[in-house]
Amino acid sequence: MGAMLMIRTQKVRIYPNRHMKKVLDSLCDYRRYCWNEGLATWNDMYDLYTLDSNSPGPSFYSVRNELVANKADWQYELSARTLQLAITDLGNAWKNFFDKAQPDWGKPTFKSKKAARQGFKTDRAKIVAGKLRLDKPRGTRDWYDITISKHTDLSGVLKVASIYRENGKYWASLPFEVELDTKPKTGDRSAVDVNVGHLNYTDGIIDTLPKRLRKLYQRIKFYQKQLAHKRVVNRKKATKSNNYGVMRAKLQRDYCKVANIQHDIMQKFTTKLVNDYDKIVIEDLSVKVMQMSHVASKGLQRSMFGYFRQTLSYKCKWYDKELILADSQYPSTQWCSKCGRIKSGSDKITLQGNASHQTKHNEYVCYGCGAILDRDENAVANLLDLI
């Protein structure tokens, strides 16, 4: 087994002092300002390009140069890398706009100061004596290293760090370039069929919406209704009351719990896949296109299809395993794994089953060979045929 250079990200909590809190808050605001200014400039350049093809179209370089040329005096007191990296991310967001398989696919929008999470990026951060040191702007006197939560592996070469504030706490995502040993070859293969609420694979089922998550979603729904009721009754005064702030904090706390539980499920499952199998097949789904209705959108978002694919992709690269993407038009659900007949027309299976033949959503009945199969197990068998 050989070693490969890979990026491994550590999410840690940081504890800035009173002065560095003000610095981090100002950098968060500056990042939002740079993004919004860059997006407005990008849109203006695109409008000019559509009217006159001789004018330069928007790009990372043209937008960045425009913002740098028009910098105000107060901007020189803040890190220049914040502006550079904000425009870099804006350019990547426009590239991802053409790839609907991305988990955060969509047209770039303006950032709001009311968003629960505010952050910035820097590629000049260092780890010094177990603390985080940010790049100090010119002319700044007071500058302090930031304490990092204990029991954290900080080995490797630090790349572009992301610092953000959420619910009054400060966090950092620290990507380190490290050497990782490849996993031993097992010679086995597997396929994963993603569904709302669970993932089917060769050896069983992974529940992505366990009971504890459903209880949290019920509580979140209750808090949302209460907050909406307060806004209707008290209008603009609602958000200024102590009760509103307390309930919103509870809502944000439960959202964090949900995210942690879901990420834990996906991380453990993807690690198991790369440990046990050499070749893994999944479907190349366009999640945004699948969100046909409000109910379907909520279920698809909670099932975290995009995050699952993203996590599995980088782990396969880490450990030299092969990830095969089935085309989005591949009829894994409609294909009979026994005789090869493909359902069409009124015979097709939908999320609710088949109304004309009165079959349930989890049943696959082949009208060619008469086989009665589990819908998800049949899809997994069809995906395995691609290897």
Side-chain angles (χ1 to χ4, degrees), residues 209-224 250-262 265 302:
L209 289 175
K211 288 184 179 179
R212 52 181 177 165
L213 264 185
R214 295 171 188 172
K215 290 181 179 179
L216 282 172
Y217 278 128
Q218 289 178 355
R219 201 158 65 193
I220 285 172
K221 186 177 181 180
F222 170 76
Y223 289 147
Q224 288 174 333
K250 290 180 180 179
L251 176 63
Q252 293 172 344
R253 179 195 62 193
D254 283 350
Y255 269 125
C256 289
K257 288 182 179 179
V258 166
N260 291 336
I261 292 172
Q262 288 180 321
I265 292 172
R302 291 177 177 179

Side-chain angles (χ1 to χ4, degrees), residues 145-375:
D145 295 342
I146 302 174
T147 304
I148 300 176
S149 57
K150 297 180 181 179
H151 310 295
T152 303
D153 183 10
L154 302 177
S155 60
V157 180
L158 181 60
K159 297 298 183 179
V160 181
S162 298
I163 318 295
Y164 60 93
R165 181 189 71 241
E166 188 173 24
N167 300 331
K169 299 177 182 178
Y170 294 85
W171 304 84
S173 292
L174 306 176
F176 293 96
E177 188 178 54
V178 297
E179 286 190 355
L180 293 178
D181 293 329
T182 57
K183 297 288 185 181
K185 299 295 183 181
T186 63
D188 294 331
R189 58 181 189 165
S190 181
V192 182
D193 179 55
V194 295
N195 300 279
V196 176
H198 63 278
L199 303 175
N200 285 71
Y201 74 115
T202 311
D203 287 345
I205 302 175
I206 299 297
D207 187 5
T208 56
L209 289 175
K211 288 184 179 179
R212 52 181 177 165
L213 264 185
R214 295 171 188 172
K215 290 181 179 179
L216 282 172
Y217 278 128
Q218 289 178 355
R219 201 158 65 193
I220 285 172
K221 186 177 181 180
F222 170 76
Y223 289 147
Q224 288 174 333
K225 284 186 175 180
Q226 292 295 313
L227 292 175
H229 178 71
K230 289 179 183 294
R231 288 194 296 270
V232 171
V233 174
N234 300 324
R235 298 186 181 181
K236 293 183 178 180
K237 296 181 180 179
T239 57
K240 298 179 181 179
S241 68
N242 291 333
N243 289 338
Y244 187 92
V246 170
M247 188 163 291
R248 183 171 58 184
K250 290 180 180 179
L251 176 63
Q252 293 172 344
R253 179 195 62 193
D254 283 350
Y255 269 125
C256 289
K257 288 182 179 179
V258 166
N260 291 336
I261 292 172
Q262 288 180 321
H263 290 173
D264 182 64
I265 292 172
M266 291 299 177
Q267 290 288 343
K268 289 179 178 177
F269 179 51
T270 51
T271 299
K272 176 177 174 58
L273 288 175
V274 296
N275 283 337
D276 297 346
Y277 303 102
D278 292 342
K279 296 183 178 180
I280 306 164
V281 186
I282 63 174
E283 292 178 289
D284 185 13
L285 298 175
S286 298
V287 179
K288 292 291 181 178
V289 177
M290 295 171 62
Q291 295 179 351
M292 300 167 287
S293 65
H294 175 70
V295 176
S297 298
K298 186 180 293 186
L300 290 169
Q301 184 203 15
R302 291 177 177 179
S303 298
M304 300 187 73
F305 292 170
Y307 182 79
F308 166 70
R309 173 181 168 177
Q310 186 183 52
T311 307
L312 184 60
S313 297
Y314 74 71
K315 287 188 179 181
C316 285
K317 290 180 181 178
W318 276 6
Y319 301 115
D320 194 24
K321 298 301 177 80
E322 184 179 358
L323 179 63
I324 301 171
L325 296 177
D327 188 82
S328 58
Q329 301 300 321
Y330 182 71
S332 60
T333 304
Q334 311 298 336
W335 207 327
C336 177
S337 59
K338 300 296 183 182
C339 68
R341 183 177 183 272
I342 301 177
K343 291 181 177 292
S344 60
S346 60
D347 291 344
K348 277 190 172 182
I349 300 178
T350 65
L351 291 174
Q352 291 77 31
N354 187 289
S356 59
H357 295 282
Q358 297 182 350
T359 57
K360 298 180 181 179
H361 66 92
N362 61 335
E363 291 180 339
Y364 183 94
V365 179
C366 179
Y367 304 111
C369 64
I372 301 177
L373 308 170
D374 181 86
R375 166 185 171 159

